[in-house]
Structures are given as C-alpha cells and as structure tokens.
C-alpha cells in the first residue's frame, strides 16, 4: 500500500525525479548522497513506492536545480 502524502503536499511524481536525475547525468548513488538518503530510499521514491517528506522534496529540488512543483502530479479535470 502506498503511503499517503502529508497534508498540503501534492501527490508525489517519482518518474519526474528519475528523469531529472538521468538528465543531470547522476547515478542513484550520487543523487541519494546529495540529498542525504540511502540509495534504496531514493529508488523507492523514483518507483513511487514511497513518498519523500517535504524537507527531502526541497533537498531534491535544490540538488537538481528545479522547482519543487516538478515532482508533483498536476490535478486533472475529468
């Protein structure tokens, strides 16, 4: 079961994290080290198996030099 996001945070988008990491030319180990988490934690985030806390989303955005909103699902109007 996928954990729920913290109140006030948009849904996590792990594929955007992986794409930005690959575009930056970094391995999972390299980005995990920059953010201060283990390789397995970052892998779980990228696979959408876990959601990072807001402070780790900020650290990811800063490390990858992108806005935090890059990692959020956009709401869809059906």
């Amino acid at each position: 079961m996928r954990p729920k996001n913290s109140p006030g945070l948009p849904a996590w988008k792990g594929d955007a994290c992986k794409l930005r990491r690959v575009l930056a030319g970094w391995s999972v180990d390299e980005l995990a080290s920059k953010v201060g988490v283990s390789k397995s934690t970052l892998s779980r985030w990228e696979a959408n198996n876990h959601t990072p806390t807001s402070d780790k989303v900020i650290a990811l955005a800063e490390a990858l030099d992108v806005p935090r909103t890059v990692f959020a699902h956009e709401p869809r109007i059906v």
Side-chain angles (χ1 to χ4, degrees):
M1 181 175 191
R2 192 169 160 205
K4 294 182 180 179
N5 286 331
S6 301
L9 292 178
W12 171 250
K13 191 174 175 185
D15 55 337
C17 179
K18 183 175 182 177
L19 174 64
R20 293 297 177 149
R21 175 182 59 76
V22 170
L23 289 173
W26 293 340
S27 68
V28 173
D29 283 328
E30 289 171 311
L31 182 55
S33 176
K34 291 176 186 298
V35 176
V37 297
S38 69
K39 175 184 172 182
S40 61
T41 295
L42 183 62
S43 294
R44 286 190 295 260
W45 292 347
E46 289 185 350
N48 286 318
N49 292 330
H50 289 280
T51 302
T53 58
S54 59
D55 62 320
K56 293 302 179 185
V57 172
I58 292 167
L60 282 167
E62 289 175 355
L64 294 167
D65 195 28
V66 296
R68 289 174 271 182
T69 55
V70 165
F71 307 121
H73 280 294
E74 295 179 17
R76 294 183 181 176
I77 300 173
V78 183

